[in-house]
Amino acid sequence: MRFGEWLGGQVRNYARNYVWNRTTLSAVLIASPAILSSIATFAISNSLDRRSARFTEERDGITRDLGALDGQVKSFETLQLGRGALLLVLNGSQADMQYKYLLDRLFRLNAKQAVRRMAVIVHPQDWQGRMAPYDALVDQEYSDANTVHAIQAMEDAMVQEAGARLTALQLRHNIVTGRIAKIDSLKAQITAVLASLTSALTIVIFFVTTNKKSAPPPAAAPADKPQRPASVRKRAADGRQL
């Protein structure tokens, strides 16, 4: 016999006796629910995690826009309050109108950066076109009420658009946050259900594989009656003849 054939036979015998036998098959059957549950959990969790990641990225972007826009609106409103307070002081002191217009322009130049950032967030595509008329009015040296009213109307319109944008962003933020919460809840529920099914199937398979009825033992053959000695049989026959 060749060594290769002998080695192949030894390997087959070893695999048949110690690797792939009835005990191994029972172990694989018992472990199969856990294996299938792990694969299903991984696949479902991976799909849900990808969806959750997209919504999380969107939520983070909305949060950044909310913080930036809200900060610029508050900064602009603070400058507006300061400008109004100083103008009231100048009106009370009966200052010259030239100083009032100069103060008004100074505050609006300081507020222009906040207005520009609001325009970038609210109108990211055409913010430069929307800011061009405003910049043209603020950058010039004005000294008439009509120019002040025109600038104020532009600022009020921008603040209103920023407020509407804040409301829309907050609404979208709440919707996205709710979807992320639903995905996380669904993932937890699916994991719990798969774990319960795995436990139940494992118990059933273990019971079936370990509780097989063995074949009944063969019935014992009836014992032969002992034979009496020949002398005893002869005397019994003589007695029957008498």
Side-chain angles (χ1 to χ4, degrees), residues 12 15 29 33 49 58 62 70 72 78 83-85 124-125 129 132 140 173 175 192 199 203 214 218-219 230 238:
R12 286 192 295 271
L29 288 175
D49 287 342
E58 182 181 357
I62 293 173
D70 186 62
Q72 298 306 319
T78 300
R83 180 179 62 85
Q125 303 297 330
Q140 69 177 348
H173 183 274
I175 293 174
S199 300
I203 293 173
S214 57
D238 294 341

Side-chain angles (χ1 to χ4, degrees), residues 13-211:
N13 291 333
Y14 179 83
R16 183 169 54 252
N17 294 330
Y18 300 102
V19 178
W20 190 251
N21 49 31
R22 186 177 297 275
T23 303
T24 304
L25 180 61
S26 299
V28 171
L29 288 175
I30 294 173
S32 59
I35 297 173
L36 295 176
S37 176
S38 299
I39 296 174
T41 301
F42 174 78
I44 295 174
S45 298
N46 192 26
S47 177
L48 293 177
D49 287 342
R50 287 197 299 268
R51 293 184 59 188
S52 180
R54 290 195 297 269
F55 285 123
T56 301
E57 184 179 359
E58 182 181 357
R59 184 189 61 183
D60 293 342
I62 293 173
T63 302
R64 288 192 299 268
D65 290 343
L66 274 173
L69 186 56
D70 186 62
Q72 298 306 319
V73 171
K74 290 180 179 179
S75 176
F76 176 77
E77 290 177 346
T78 300
L79 291 172
Q80 286 282 72
L81 290 175
R83 180 179 62 85
L86 287 179
L87 286 176
L88 287 175
V89 172
L90 291 178
N91 287 331
S93 62
Q94 297 181 353
D96 188 78
M97 288 298 298
Q98 180 180 358
Y99 295 106
K100 294 181 183 179
Y101 286 120
L102 183 61
L103 177 65
D104 183 88
R105 182 168 179 267
L106 178 62
F107 269 89
R108 295 189 190 279
L109 285 174
N110 290 331
K112 187 172 70 171
Q113 187 65 25
V115 177
R116 183 186 298 272
R117 290 177 179 174
M118 283 190 289
V120 170
I121 297 174
V122 177
H123 304 285
Q125 303 297 330
D126 59 341
W127 67 270
Q128 292 178 339
R130 290 180 175 271
M131 285 296 299
Y134 180 81
D135 291 339
L137 291 177
V138 174
D139 292 341
Q140 69 177 348
E141 295 182 2
Y142 54 87
S143 59
D144 59 295
N146 292 332
T147 303
V148 174
H149 292 160
I151 296 174
Q152 189 65 45
M154 292 180 183
E155 291 176 346
D156 292 341
M158 184 59 65
V159 172
Q160 290 177 1
E161 290 178 353
R165 179 64 174 170
L166 282 173
T167 302
L169 287 174
Q170 186 62 55
L171 178 61
R172 182 61 183 173
H173 183 274
N174 295 338
I175 293 174
V176 173
T177 302
R179 289 180 178 176
I180 294 174
K182 288 182 180 179
I183 291 174
D184 293 339
S185 177
L186 179 61
K187 180 180 177 180
Q189 291 176 3
I190 291 175
T191 302
V193 170
L194 287 177
S196 300
L197 290 176
T198 300
S199 300
L201 289 176
T202 301
I203 293 173
V204 171
I205 294 175
F206 178 80
F207 178 80
V208 171
T209 54
T210 58
N211 200 41

